[in-house]
Amino acid sequence: MARAAVLGRLGDRLRWRVAEVTGRHVESPTAVTLTLDVPGWPGHLAGQHVDVRLTAEDGYSTQRSYSIAS
């Protein structure tokens, strides 16, 4: 499936981690839940935020912050 980069905390440093989209569930016409596999992810708590950056094959890149539900 698609790949993304996730900004994660490692010790006191922030670094981008490569993630793979392993699932997609349509919640409503305007909302989709994505499941990401992020090797080495140190864990998280509900309510925390994560920055996700997507880069297209043509080099276009966009970034957005999301709240983690669970």
Side-chain angles (χ1 to χ4, degrees):
M1 287 200 138
R3 293 172 59 116
V6 178
L7 188 61
R9 185 169 292 280
L10 180 63
D12 290 325
R13 295 183 319 129
L14 292 176
R15 71 176 182 97
W16 287 102
R17 298 171 180 268
V18 175
E20 182 175 352
V21 178
T22 58
R24 180 179 181 274
H25 178 74
V26 177
E27 303 289 349
S28 74
T30 59
V32 175
T33 295
L34 298 176
T35 304
L36 302 176
D37 178 27
V38 187
W41 186 254
H44 59 273
L45 299 172
Q48 287 181 317
H49 290 249
V50 64
D51 293 324
V52 176
R53 179 176 60 192
L54 301 174
T55 303
E57 290 181 9
D58 65 2
Y60 172 79
S61 181
T62 188
Q63 181 176 324
R64 186 169 176 187
S65 181
Y66 292 92
S67 176
I68 299 174
S70 62

